[in-house]
Each structure stands twice: as C-alpha cells, then as structure tokens.
C-alpha cells in the first residue's frame, strides 16, 4: 500500500510541532510522520534538512514563540484547525532526559487529536495536585471538567529572567481594557493546544506581532520569563472575548 492511500491518524487538522532534539533522527520513524502528511516541524536544533514540512527555527521563547510565529506567518491563509504541540508531547511523565517530559499519554492524545474545537492537550489529573489538597488555598487544582488550574501568583517569575512583564496580571492589563483577574489561571502545561481558525482570528495580525516581541529579547536557548508567563496566558487569550487595548488592535 502506498503512503498516499494509508489512512493517517490525524484526519484533517494541521499539525505544528516544535522540536529540539526530541524527534528521532530519521523523521520517517517519528510519530509526526506516521500520523499525518499535513504538518510543519519547527526544528530548533537544525538537525533536519529544510523542506516544505521542516523549517529551521531560532531557539527563542520555547514553543510559545512558534505558535505566534506560525500565526503571523500564515495569518491570511490559516488552516481550519491547527494542532500546536512539542515533539516531546507523549514522552513518559517524569522522564529525565531529554528535558521537557510529556504532558499527555498517547492514548489520550489519540482521543483528542481530531477535535475541531478549542482543546487543551494534557491529561494531568488529580495526582499532580495531590500534594496541595490540604492547603487552605491549593497551589494548583483540577477544574471540574479536568482543566489544569494554577494559583495566579506568577511564582515562576521569581526564578527566571524577564524584561517586559514580571507577572501575568500586568501582561493581561496591558493587552485588555478590563481583564478579569482571578485567583486561579487555567492553562495547558507545555502549551499544547488544538486551536480553530476562528479563535485565532478574534485578533488582528498586529496583536500577535506585538506579543511575539516580548519573547525575542533572550536568544540564547534559555527561555525568558515571559515565555512561561505566556504559557499561562494562552488559554485565556484564545477563549476570552475581552476588549483589546489600542496598542494591540
């Protein structure tokens, strides 16, 4: 049977994968190649030959940069639905090397991968929040529908270098006229999502151009604090209907 007649796992969604030494050296052995012909890999380690499916990417801002980069680059011709994820999405949890252990089992990815609605790709359940359950205000907890909720205190910024925004609330207030600031912030750890075109087109191309700037100041392979902050903000950005400040329109 030829490749063109083989039924692929991903039926029609377009797959955008950020990779840094995670996928196998032979891309034909990768889950990406086996699951779909309809993909783009941002190769941050510059291991693979460039083609219409592989682009060498600067190593800034983690995969969060790649999401905004793809949107800007394809804004006028976006796929109907795009899967954004890391190449290590399905690594065994707790894996030491290479860094960035997976956030979703293959079984659960397969249940979600053909969704046409906005979808968080992770299966981080009660076990990851267990050590916090007895706290008066848990540091993280699970939403009733399985969503991942983290205390909205930007704790991670205390351990990272940042230049533009020291916490996610300041960032939200810069983007939106009157954002809701809640005790918990919802996000998909690792920044793995399925995003329909209509969610992306709620904003102008300028909106994404303004935001991507804050990820580019530290081009050393070390993620700026703003990348971790934006990881937390993505769910809100792509699901809220708040008014945008003039700078971002």
């Amino acid at each position: 049977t030829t490749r063109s007649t083989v039924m692929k796992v991903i039926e029609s969604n377009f797959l955008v994968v950020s990779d840094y030494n995670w996928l196998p050296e032979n891309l034909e052995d990768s889950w990406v190649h086996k699951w779909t012909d309809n993909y783009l890999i941002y190769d941050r380690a510059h291991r693979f030959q460039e083609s219409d499916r592989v682009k060498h990417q600067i190593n800034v801002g983690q995969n969060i940069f790649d999401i905004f980069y793809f949107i800007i680059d394809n804004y006028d011709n976006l796929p109907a639905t795009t899967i954004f994820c890391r190449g290590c999405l399905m690594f065994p949890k707790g894996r030491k090397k290479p860094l960035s252990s997976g956030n979703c089992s293959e079984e659960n990815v397969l249940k979600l991968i053909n969704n046409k609605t906005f979808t968080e790709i992770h299966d981080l359940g009660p076990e990851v929040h267990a050590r916090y359950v007895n706290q008066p205000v848990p540091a993280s907890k699970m939403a009733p529908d399985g969503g991942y909720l983290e205390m909205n205190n930007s704790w991670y910024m205390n351990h990272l270098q940042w230049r533009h925004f020291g916490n996610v609330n300041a960032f939200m207030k810069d983007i939106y006229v009157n954002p809701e600031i809640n005790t918990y912030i919802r996000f998909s750890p690792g920044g793995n999502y399925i995003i329909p075109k209509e969610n992306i087109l709620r904003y102008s191309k300028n909106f994404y151009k303004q935001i991507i700037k804050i990820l580019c100041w530290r081009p050393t392979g070390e993620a700026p604090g703003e990348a971790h902050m934006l990881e937390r903000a993505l769910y809100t950005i792509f699901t809220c209907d708040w008014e945008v400040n003039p700078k971002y329109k």
Side-chain angles (χ1 to χ4, degrees), residues 46-103:
H46 298 185
R47 293 184 298 151
F48 309 121
Q49 183 175 346
E50 287 196 292
S51 68
D52 58 345
R53 294 178 180 168
V54 176
K55 302 296 181 187
H56 289 173
Q57 180 66 293
I58 56 174
N59 191 23
V60 300
Q62 299 185 320
N63 61 311
I64 309 303
F65 177 90
D66 294 341
I67 293 173
F68 286 87
Y69 186 92
F70 179 83
I71 289 171
I72 293 166
D73 202 35
N74 298 276
Y75 187 84
D76 297 319
N77 191 32
L78 288 165
T81 313
T82 305
I83 305 159
F84 293 98
C85 69
R86 300 183 184 192
C88 59
L89 171 66
M90 294 176 286
F91 276 1
K93 293 183 179 67
R95 176 175 171 144
K96 301 298 182 184
K97 295 287 184 179
L99 298 177
S100 295
S101 59
N103 287 329

Side-chain angles (χ1 to χ4, degrees), residues 3 7-11 13-19 22-24 26-42 47-48 53-54 83-90 106 109-110 113:
R3 264 188 76 216
M7 186 66 178
K8 293 291 186 172
V9 172
I10 300 175
E11 295 166 3
N13 291 348
F14 189 78
L15 177 64
V16 176
V17 177
S18 299
D19 185 67
W22 295 320
L23 297 175
N26 183 355
L27 277 180
E28 292 195 0
D29 294 331
S30 71
W31 67 269
V32 174
H33 183 83
K34 292 175 180 177
W35 284 17
T36 183
D37 295 324
N38 199 21
Y39 67 84
L40 174 64
I41 295 171
Y42 284 121
R47 293 184 298 151
F48 309 121
R53 294 178 180 168
V54 176
I83 305 159
F84 293 98
C85 69
R86 300 183 184 192
C88 59
L89 171 66
M90 294 176 286
E106 180 174 328
V109 171
L110 289 170
I113 206 71

Side-chain angles (χ1 to χ4, degrees), residues 100-167:
S100 295
S101 59
N103 287 329
C104 203
S105 67
E106 180 174 328
E107 177 185 5
N108 279 281
V109 171
L110 289 170
K111 291 177 182 177
L112 303 172
I113 206 71
N114 289 303
N115 283 5
K116 301 299 182 187
T117 54
F118 182 84
T119 302
E120 302 148 280
I121 308 177
H122 73 81
D123 60 358
L124 300 173
E127 71 283 352
V128 300
H129 308 290
R131 56 182 168 162
Y132 305 125
V133 292
N134 293 321
Q135 293 179 346
V137 184
S140 69
K141 62 181 182 178
M142 196 169 77
D145 64 356
Y148 190 101
L149 303 175
E150 181 182 82
M151 177 70 72
N152 182 16
N153 58 7
S154 298
W155 61 271
Y156 43 90
M157 299 299 268
N158 296 326
H159 313 292
L160 300 165
Q161 294 185 35
W162 56 272
R163 176 176 292 178
H164 301 281
F165 297 97
N167 62 78

Side-chain angles (χ1 to χ4, degrees), residues 170-182:
F171 173 64
M172 290 297 192
K173 290 174 181 177
D174 196 61
I175 297 179
Y176 298 108
V177 172
N178 188 28
E180 296 175 16
I181 304 300
N182 296 312

